[in-house]
Amino acid sequence: MRIGNNPNKAATIPPPAPVVVLVIIHLPEMEGDYHRGRFGVIYKSLTSLFINIGDIEHELIIWDNGSHKDFSYWLQHLDYANRLILSRNIGKTNALKSVMRMLPEGTILDYGDDDMEYFPNWLAPQIEILKTFTNVGTVTGYPVRITGKWGVETAKKW
């Protein structure tokens, strides 16, 4: 059991843009077999997000969820984010909930993992779906590879 309250529970931020794009990152070590190459993956993901976001007015928040000190230092000098939140590792779900509580009602939150590749103008179609279907609360992007076909072909080869 934890003692005390989450320090981010009552945090507020100045009003953001109508669309907030959030990436939560946790890179606890820069070396080691499990995280080898992870820095490059995160760098490619953030770069593709920044370059391909399109013309939608947005604010990019990067939450560093208790990463290695060298990686946190790198993030602090990266010019991609409008806001960088540095915290100890409170878990992805708690970080996401914290940001959701900070945003005013009606803000569109687009959350993506730190290992996704973003394609040109990726955000606009998601926003269009939300505006078209007013009763939709969540829009999810799926990987572009057709996994069913891939799975059948792989099984046949096996």
Side-chain angles (χ1 to χ4, degrees):
M1 188 73 175
R2 294 186 179 131
I3 298 173
N5 292 320
N6 181 337
N8 299 310
K9 190 172 187 176
T12 59
I13 59 175
V19 176
V20 170
V21 177
L22 170 67
V23 178
I24 300 170
I25 300 173
H26 177 64
L27 183 61
E29 60 182 63
M30 298 291 283
E31 298 175 5
D33 291 337
Y34 187 76
H35 294 287
R36 182 168 291 140
R38 189 105 164 80
F39 173 80
V41 169
I42 294 170
Y43 177 76
K44 182 176 182 177
S45 177
L46 291 177
T47 301
S48 71
L49 184 155
F50 184 73
I51 290 171
N52 294 314
I53 201 158
D55 295 331
I56 300 285
E57 181 186 353
H58 71 283
E59 183 166 332
L60 174 58
I61 299 175
I62 297 177
W63 182 300
D64 181 12
N65 204 13
S67 295
H68 186 276
K69 62 182 173 82
D70 292 340
F71 182 74
S72 289
Y73 179 82
W74 177 80
L75 279 176
Q76 290 173 51
H77 293 86
L78 187 68
D79 290 333
Y80 292 169
N82 300 100
R83 298 178 201 240
L84 174 64
I85 299 173
L86 303 172
S87 77
R88 59 184 170 76
N89 184 7
I90 63 170
K92 187 185 295 187
T93 302
N94 286 329
L96 181 57
K97 285 181 187 178
S98 294
V99 170
M100 290 171 71
R101 279 193 297 267
M102 292 179 204
L103 299 176
E105 187 174 328
T107 303
I108 295 172
L109 175 63
D110 184 282
Y111 166 74
D113 284 338
D114 62 6
D115 60 356
M116 293 175 52
E117 183 173 0
Y118 297 86
F119 295 102
N121 203 28
W122 59 271
L123 185 57
Q126 294 181 28
I127 301 301
E128 191 61 33
I129 290 170
L130 283 171
K131 288 181 178 178
T132 303
F133 301 98
T134 55
N135 62 341
V136 171
T138 303
V139 176
T140 304
Y142 286 98
V144 295
R145 182 174 68 185
I146 302 171
T147 56
K149 181 180 176 186
W150 176 80
V152 170
E153 290 173 0
T154 303
K156 286 179 181 178
K157 287 178 186 177
W158 180 70

